[in-house]
């Protein structure tokens, strides 16, 4: 997941992928961990014409065929939406020089507009080794592929707006788990599949 990197100022020499800004990383992480919200983003993309209608079949796979109940990891609501403390999880990867984090868009000595997250060549190679050794990790490869497809061309702010469009998300108090939307998304998906002639 993430965008391909090109050499440039501030880009680590061995970087192969980048996710620009923590907000976007948080929103993508939320979609990986919440298949119901991911399926909803895919449906919205199809209805808006951002994604071809056949992608509704991917939404069905995410919601019905990939054991979503076993792969749902709800996130806490922070001040600005779904939030997970990244430092602990990423510190191991940084220490092993598998990823790099760079500050970008400095506006003063005290304030940094964003942090960019880079996957390095060593990290990509380690991921390949893990895939070969642990076939069960294929689930995460496919899930992140669905997320990348669903969120293509979208900013963190756009993803945030979609998530806040649900009362279960918007009305969750801070430091509480964000509720699911599975029942409503299943109904929405069934209607969209029938409308497009894709219902099984």
């Amino acid at each position: 997941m993430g965008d391909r990197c090109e050499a440039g100022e501030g880009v680590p020499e061995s970087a192969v992928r980048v996710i620009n800004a923590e907000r976007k990383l948080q929103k993508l992480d939320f979609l990986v961990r919440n298949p119901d919200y991911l399926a909803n983003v895919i449906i919205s993309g199809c209805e808006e014409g951002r994604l071809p209608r056949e992608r509704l079949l991917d939404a069905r796979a995410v919601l019905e065929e990939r054991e979503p109940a076993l792969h749902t990891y709800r996130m806490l609501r922070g001040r600005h939406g779904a939030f997970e403390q990244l430092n602990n999880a990423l510190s191991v990867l940084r220490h092993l020089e598998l990823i790099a984090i760079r500050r970008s868009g400095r506006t003063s000595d005290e304030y940094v507009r964003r942090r960019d997250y880079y996957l390095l060549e060593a990290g990509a190679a380690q991921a390949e080794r893990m895939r070969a050794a642990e076939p069960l990790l294929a689930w995460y490869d496919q899930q992140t592929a669905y997320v990348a497809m669903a969120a293509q061309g979208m900013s963190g702010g756009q993803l945030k707006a979609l998530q806040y469009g649900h009362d279960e998300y918007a009305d969750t108090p801070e430091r509480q788990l964000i509720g699911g939307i599975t029942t409503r998304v299943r109904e929405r998906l069934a209607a969209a599949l029938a409308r497009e002639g894709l219902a099984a």
Side-chain angles (χ1 to χ4, degrees):
M1 199 158 35
D3 299 320
R4 293 189 182 279
C5 287
E6 294 186 11
E9 184 178 350
V11 177
E13 185 176 338
S14 67
V16 294
R17 294 272 179 181
V18 62
I19 294 176
N20 295 116
E22 181 177 347
R23 177 164 66 175
K24 185 165 186 180
L25 179 58
Q26 294 277 5
K27 301 314 171 194
L28 295 174
D29 183 32
F30 180 80
L31 293 178
V32 170
R33 295 166 54 161
N34 292 272
D36 48 354
Y37 284 87
L38 172 56
N40 189 69
V41 172
I42 297 172
I43 296 166
S44 293
C46 294
E47 290 180 347
E48 295 163 3
R50 220 174 20 85
L51 298 173
R53 67 185 187 96
E54 291 78 16
R55 290 298 188 184
L56 290 170
L57 300 175
D58 293 330
R60 182 169 65 193
V62 165
L63 199 61
E64 304 292 348
E65 300 168 14
R66 291 174 46 75
E67 301 179 297
L70 299 179
H71 294 284
T72 296
Y73 307 97
R74 299 292 182 203
M75 290 177 73
L76 294 176
R77 167 76 190 275
R79 180 182 297 179
H80 303 292
F83 179 80
E84 185 80 23
Q85 183 58 252
L86 298 176
N87 292 343
N88 290 342
L90 296 182
S91 64
V92 174
L93 302 177
R94 287 181 73 182
H95 176 72
L96 296 173
E97 298 183 345
L98 304 178
I99 66 166
I101 302 172
R102 295 288 187 267
R103 296 178 178 194
S104 178
R106 182 177 293 279
T107 56
S108 72
D109 287 340
E110 295 82 29
Y111 180 69
V112 176
R113 282 177 39 204
R114 73 170 197 244
R115 286 177 175 79
D116 295 336
Y117 298 81
Y118 293 91
L119 174 66
L120 305 180
E121 288 176 358
Q126 179 63 30
E128 284 299 325
R129 288 191 291 273
M130 291 174 66
R131 287 183 186 102
E134 297 291 342
L136 288 176
L137 293 178
W139 186 93
Y140 292 96
D141 274 339
Q142 183 60 67
Q143 192 76 349
T144 56
Y146 283 136
V147 170
M149 173 270 294
Q152 186 175 7
M154 298 182 73
S155 68
Q158 290 170 314
L159 291 169
K160 179 179 177 180
L162 275 180
Q163 292 166 7
Y164 267 96
H166 301 282
D167 291 342
E168 293 86 345
Y169 188 104
D171 294 343
T172 299
E174 283 188 42
R175 296 184 296 279
Q176 299 297 314
L177 288 175
I178 296 169
I181 56 173
T182 303
T183 300
R184 192 166 61 254
V185 176
R186 281 189 174 134
E187 292 170 355
R188 187 178 182 208
L189 176 61
L193 289 168
R195 186 171 59 247
E196 297 293 344
L198 295 171

